[in-house]
Amino acid sequence: METIRNYLETMFANLPNTMDVLKAKNELYQMMEDKYEELIAEGKHENEAVGIIISEFGNLEELADTLGIGGVINNNVDLDTRLVTDDEAMEYVFEASQHKLLIGVGVMLFIISPIFPILITGSTGSLGGVVGFFITIAVGVAILILSSARMGKWSFLDNLNCVIEYATANALYAELRNNMLSKALMKTIGIMCIILSFIPVIILDELTAKSFFGPNMAPASLFIMVGIGVLLIIASTAKDGAYNKLLSLNDSKKVAGNYDSIRSTQHDYGNEVFNKIMPVYWKTVTCVYLIWSFLTFHWHRSWVIWPIAWIIHRVISTSYSDKRR
Amino acid sequence: MTNNMIEISSDVIRGYNDTMILYILMEAPSYGYEIAKKIRALTEDKYIIKETTLYSAFTRMEKNGYVVSYSQNADNGKKRTYYKMTDAGKAYYKEKCAEWQLTKEVVEHFIRGDE
């Protein structure tokens, strides 16, 4: 049955995304499905059934008049489209998520770089601290530049009119869904790291006051925690970005563009403003939290942003999202 | 697959796909695959209507008011589009039958069974 679905989707891929076309596709699918079930019930082998159905499908030209698609069918082969194959798609997902991960590492290095001047103090050490600080930043920058350069070969995804096949889209969507849990988990742990970053500060403050690094261990731990947290948050979205990029390649005005709509349906708040704000809600909250905390260093106070933000989010989503229909 | 060597010409049959579909809908409303199956059975596998032919006939006849479509759950719970003949459809069917009689008569004059 999957073969038939793919066949039909491929036949329709270049047609305009109108109600008439979609209705025709559904109706034809219904008929083919009925036929398939009956052929299988008659004891036909799956391949044989598929062969019969495809040979008896007919010709889309017959639908040209009813669907107003004459022009599209006659120049079905769009010369300037570039098909992204299955293998390419998987390779892109792999490399793009690696790229995102490296960005995360780079950003983490920027965040933790101040620990060197904090930890290495005293008359002999202060120079070492500054050197450590700059080396860390330099390594971070190098990682960002190198990984961006590696992504250069994928620039054709933006520059050419690329398309993916239905089967590829389906596989990508399945992976996107499989990835949801690990993504949520990573994001949660990342946010927890940031929220709880003041805890090691308190503990270490008590414990290490008299140790080698002295009282500076505590503030340093804060940077490390936040750095790890940010890395996890960035890494959690690594694969998603790649999946969504590939799934949105197809022209939304054509049937193939519908592969796009099978990915996570965006929440509809029934309100222009909220629809724009909510997708970036948690990112904004994280930014506000980090900015407030780093500017004032009132970590013991700034965490209240999280429970407050959570309550606001609940209120908005419960009072708006159900009104959409 | 048909047993006969002669294939039916789609040009000739095109004008009568509607007639066949309406004939079947005269008994009871039906859906795509069932109609295709009945046409095949009634013609003893000599004519297998293509899916796209069937669908374009449906849309054309619906536009002309010969049939109306509606959604209904089939016995197995699957949602299907059913087609029902209208009075205009009945009149059109009779017209087509008369047209065929005439066509047959005319063409018949020029057909020689022997040789």
Side-chain angles (χ1 to χ4, degrees), chain A residues 194-250:
Chain A
I194 296 175
I195 299 172
L196 300 177
S197 58
F198 67 95
I199 290 181
V201 180
I202 298 167
I203 298 169
L204 289 171
D205 222 16
E206 296 291 319
L207 293 178
T208 62
K210 296 182 189 76
S211 75
F212 169 69
F213 285 119
N216 299 327
M217 196 70 175
S221 73
L222 188 124
F223 286 102
I224 293 172
M225 283 285 277
V226 173
I228 293 171
V230 170
L231 169 65
L232 284 170
I233 291 171
I234 293 176
S236 74
T237 62
K239 278 187 172 169
D240 262 34
Y243 292 140
N244 285 333
K245 167 113 188 174
L246 288 172
L247 284 171
S248 59
L249 280 179
N250 290 327

Side-chain angles (χ1 to χ4, degrees), chain A:
Chain A
M1 208 55 227
E2 195 55 33
T3 322
I4 292 173
R5 178 99 244 180
N6 289 346
Y7 172 76
L8 199 60
E9 291 288 352
T10 314
M11 294 289 280
F12 274 80
N14 279 328
L15 301 187
N17 207 354
T18 62
M19 281 302 282
D20 283 344
V21 170
L22 294 182
K23 201 180 135 213
K25 199 184 81 181
N26 272 336
E27 191 78 352
L28 289 167
Y29 183 68
Q30 257 181 42
M31 293 190 225
M32 291 165 110
E33 198 182 23
D34 285 338
K35 199 182 242 179
Y36 179 81
E37 277 167 13
E38 188 153 305
L39 288 170
I40 293 295
E42 279 171 14
K44 289 256 182 344
H45 186 264
E46 198 185 314
N47 292 338
E48 200 185 343
V50 169
I52 292 173
I53 290 168
I54 290 177
S55 72
E56 291 174 5
F57 172 73
N59 194 327
L60 273 192
E61 264 171 54
E62 280 194 86
L63 301 181
D65 289 339
T66 38
L67 301 181
I69 49 177
V72 193
I73 287 179
N74 293 333
N75 40 49
N76 216 340
V77 193
D78 232 340
L79 283 177
D80 51 346
T81 55
R82 157 86 160 78
L83 180 74
V84 179
T85 63
D86 237 7
D87 289 343
E88 277 178 326
M90 295 309 152
E91 197 186 337
Y92 174 73
V93 169
F94 178 73
E95 289 196 2
S97 51
Q98 229 178 28
H99 169 63
K100 215 49 179 300
L101 206 66
L102 286 173
I103 290 180
V105 172
V107 172
M108 183 184 76
L109 289 177
F110 294 149
I111 295 174
I112 66 172
S113 58
I115 68 168
F116 293 99
I118 293 173
L119 285 180
I120 308 169
T121 49
S123 51
T124 51
S126 64
L127 184 68
V130 174
V131 170
F133 174 74
F134 282 113
I135 286 177
T136 318
I137 299 257
V139 172
V141 171
I143 287 176
L144 291 192
I145 292 173
L146 279 176
S147 80
S148 298
R150 270 186 56 208
M151 289 305 286
K153 76 173 194 191
W154 296 105
S155 61
F156 74 86
L157 288 177
D158 293 315
N159 301 334
L160 295 177
N161 193 5
C162 289
V163 289
I164 53 171
E165 278 187 325
Y166 177 77
T168 316
N170 235 357
L172 287 172
Y173 181 60
E175 282 199 36
L176 178 81
R177 304 225 23 178
N178 284 339
N179 186 43
M180 263 177 183
L181 182 68
S182 57
K183 172 193 161 191
L185 213 63
M186 263 167 107
K187 199 176 228 170
T188 313
I189 296 173
I191 292 172
M192 292 303 280
C193 275
I194 296 175
I195 299 172
L196 300 177
S197 58
F198 67 95
I199 290 181
V201 180
I202 298 167
I203 298 169
L204 289 171
D205 222 16
E206 296 291 319
L207 293 178
T208 62
K210 296 182 189 76
S211 75
F212 169 69
F213 285 119
N216 299 327
M217 196 70 175
S221 73
L222 188 124
F223 286 102
I224 293 172
M225 283 285 277
V226 173
I228 293 171
V230 170
L231 169 65
L232 284 170
I233 291 171
I234 293 176
S236 74
T237 62
K239 278 187 172 169
D240 262 34
Y243 292 140
N244 285 333
K245 167 113 188 174
L246 288 172
L247 284 171
S248 59
L249 280 179
N250 290 327
D251 184 353
S252 64
K253 288 201 183 89
K254 293 179 176 171
V255 171
N258 288 0
Y259 311 159
D260 181 38
S261 64
I262 58 176
R263 75 191 156 120
S264 57
T265 40
Q266 216 164 47
H267 222 73
D268 187 2
Y269 291 91
N271 179 317
E272 241 347 78
V273 183
F274 285 131
N275 277 339
K276 290 214 171 80
I277 293 176
M278 296 319 273
V280 292
Y281 181 82
W282 288 113
K283 287 175 192 128
T284 314
V285 171
T286 311
C287 280
V288 170
Y289 170 73
L290 288 177
I291 291 167
W292 181 17
S293 308
F294 276 108
L295 286 183
T296 63
F297 264 82
H298 290 160
W299 296 87
H300 57 291
R301 256 183 246 147
S302 60
W303 64 269
V304 299
I305 278 188
W306 296 106
I308 293 171
W310 184 76
I311 291 166
I312 295 173
H313 189 265
R314 291 299 303 168
V315 169
I316 293 173
S317 50
T318 46
S319 50
Y320 282 96
S321 59
D322 285 334
K323 288 182 187 165
R324 58 188 151 157
R325 287 196 205 287

Side-chain angles (χ1 to χ4, degrees), chain B residues 2-115:
Chain B
T2 53
N3 295 325
N4 23 348
M5 300 297 287
I6 320 147
E7 288 251 332
I8 207 148
S9 148
S10 60
D11 279 342
V12 172
I13 203 96
R14 184 175 299 139
Y16 290 92
N17 284 321
D18 294 1
T19 318
M20 294 182 221
I21 295 166
L22 288 172
Y23 173 82
I24 285 155
L25 291 181
M26 214 143 45
E27 290 171 41
S30 183
Y31 58 90
Y33 179 60
E34 196 177 58
I35 296 171
K37 208 166 66 175
K38 282 184 176 165
I39 291 178
R40 187 181 175 149
L42 283 169
T43 61
E44 292 160 338
D45 285 8
K46 287 192 190 84
Y47 182 49
I48 298 166
I49 193 164
K50 308 257 188 210
E51 259 80 26
T52 50
T53 312
L54 198 56
Y55 184 73
S56 70
F58 286 154
T59 44
R60 194 177 48 241
M61 288 202 289
E62 190 168 18
K63 213 160 85 189
N64 291 334
Y66 304 149
V67 296
V68 284
S69 68
Y70 58 93
S71 256
Q72 189 180 304
N73 287 339
D75 307 332
N76 59 3
K78 225 166 56 181
K79 213 178 175 102
R80 284 213 182 86
T81 311
Y82 277 75
Y83 295 90
K84 190 173 168 249
M85 193 182 200
T86 63
D87 289 338
K90 254 174 230 160
Y92 175 66
Y93 174 76
K94 283 197 185 118
E95 218 174 276
K96 286 300 278 186
C97 287
E99 184 194 307
W100 175 247
Q101 286 299 339
L102 183 64
T103 312
K104 206 168 71 173
E105 260 172 52
V106 169
V107 179
E108 197 70 34
H109 287 297
F110 305 94
I111 304 292
R112 284 170 66 165
D114 49 0
E115 281 181 68

